[in-house]
Amino acid sequence: MAPASEPPERVSEAFERLWVCYDPMYQLSKYYRHGELDSCDGKWNDLWRALAIRRAKRENRTVDDIAAVDDARERSRNSPELAPMWKTAAPATAGKFWRKTFKENVPSEEEIRAARRAFDAENAENDS
């Protein structure tokens, strides 16, 4: 098994690292040590690379072909033309859209404010 700092040599090793990354104990220790959770993006990249290497070997291609594909993928990821998948909307705008789409299943802004006031009042009584 390759050291954790090196890319894995086998698909099973890459998958195991990815699996461990989603383990709650790993995430807690990462948060404790570094103050943030691990997004596991690097582990996913390692898995895709290991799969590509395995496929290249099966198709009798060289590892240089895979490096070219990796470079192209990285360039496309960093391209400025890459638009975000979705847009962040203000809560009021999002609420209007959801109410239009889902009708009475979404509370109005006034109902949300009333529920917050009731919740805050209930918590204030419990705290005193």
Side-chain angles (χ1 to χ4, degrees):
M1 188 168 190
S5 59
E6 296 179 14
E9 297 173 5
R10 298 186 325 264
V11 173
S12 60
E13 190 178 327
F15 184 78
E16 182 180 351
R17 287 184 188 180
L18 181 63
W19 185 269
V20 167
C21 186
Y22 284 103
D23 179 47
M25 288 305 294
Y26 171 80
Q27 291 292 340
L28 285 172
S29 66
K30 183 80 170 177
Y31 187 78
Y32 178 76
R33 292 178 185 158
H34 303 285
E36 61 186 13
L37 297 175
D38 190 348
S39 67
C40 303
D41 288 342
K43 312 305 190 282
W44 278 107
N45 292 339
D46 288 346
L47 177 64
W48 297 130
R49 181 165 174 67
L51 287 167
I53 290 171
R54 182 177 177 185
R55 185 178 59 239
K57 286 179 182 176
R58 195 175 44 211
E59 295 171 355
N60 294 324
R61 291 188 305 163
T62 65
V63 177
D64 294 335
D65 296 339
I66 297 166
V69 169
D70 283 348
D71 292 342
R73 183 181 299 139
E74 193 62 34
R75 279 195 307 276
S76 71
R77 233 185 242 137
N78 295 331
S79 85
E81 299 89 33
L82 199 58
M85 194 172 288
W86 46 73
K87 297 176 186 169
T88 305
T93 307
K96 288 177 187 174
F97 172 77
W98 279 77
R99 276 188 286 290
K100 180 180 170 188
T101 305
F102 298 106
K103 313 260 184 286
E104 68 278 347
N105 293 328
V106 179
S108 68
E109 295 298 319
E110 183 54 40
E111 290 172 320
I112 293 171
R113 282 192 289 276
R116 282 191 185 134
R117 282 193 299 270
F119 179 78
D120 291 341
E122 184 179 314
N123 284 339
E125 290 173 6
N126 289 341
D127 290 340
S128 34

